[in-house]
Amino acid sequence: MVEVGSIDYNKIAKKIEDDKRKAKTTSYVDGGKIYYKKNCEYCHGAKGEILSSGTSRALSKMSFEEMQDAMSGYINDEYDNGMAILMKPYADLVVKNDLEKISVYLESINK
């Protein structure tokens, strides 16, 4: 009979969760990069550092929640720093998951 030493299932479960989190983060960074470069970079800069049209806040300084609030404001005509007419079409298209990916991507390149 082969005796197996004690197995630390909590350690195994933690490793699995850590691996899932890393995979999600990697896919979010990759997805966010694609979306950002296609839809945001021209106005907001390579790292989200540009104040688009001199009126917006730097995306690199905004949390996911702040981005979400701004997008919601554009959609509902409640947020306008002077250039909402340009942002509204983008806000109408972006979904929460894409916005979260953009936020994770910007965070990853602005460490």
Side-chain angles (χ1 to χ4, degrees):
M1 183 172 182
V2 177
E3 185 171 326
V4 178
S6 67
I7 298 174
D8 186 345
Y9 290 104
N10 288 333
K11 186 175 181 179
I12 293 170
K14 184 180 181 324
K15 170 123 175 62
I16 291 169
E17 287 304 312
D18 287 346
D19 289 348
K20 284 182 186 177
R21 194 173 304 109
K22 286 177 189 172
K24 179 180 178 183
T25 299
T26 299
S27 74
Y28 269 48
V29 168
D30 293 344
K33 179 179 182 179
I34 292 166
Y35 195 96
Y36 184 83
K37 288 192 170 292
K38 180 179 176 187
N39 297 292
C40 312
E41 184 176 68
Y42 182 79
C43 294
H44 293 282
K47 293 183 149 194
E49 75 283 7
I50 294 177
L51 307 179
S52 183
S53 301
T55 61
S56 73
R57 294 171 52 201
L59 297 180
S60 61
K61 306 285 187 210
M62 295 174 72
S63 69
F64 166 68
E65 291 78 14
E66 290 170 319
M67 287 182 191
Q68 196 171 20
D69 288 346
M71 294 300 242
S72 177
Y74 286 126
I75 291 167
N76 298 314
D77 296 320
E78 299 167 348
Y79 187 84
D80 188 354
N81 284 345
M83 298 304 285
I85 194 165
L86 297 176
M87 266 306 296
K88 186 170 174 45
Y90 292 98
D92 285 335
L93 294 175
V94 72
V95 295
K96 182 179 176 181
N97 193 325
D98 291 329
L99 193 59
E100 188 174 8
K101 289 177 183 179
I102 291 167
S103 179
V104 169
Y105 167 67
L106 288 174
E107 185 179 315
S108 77
I109 63 170
N110 286 294
K111 291 181 178 179

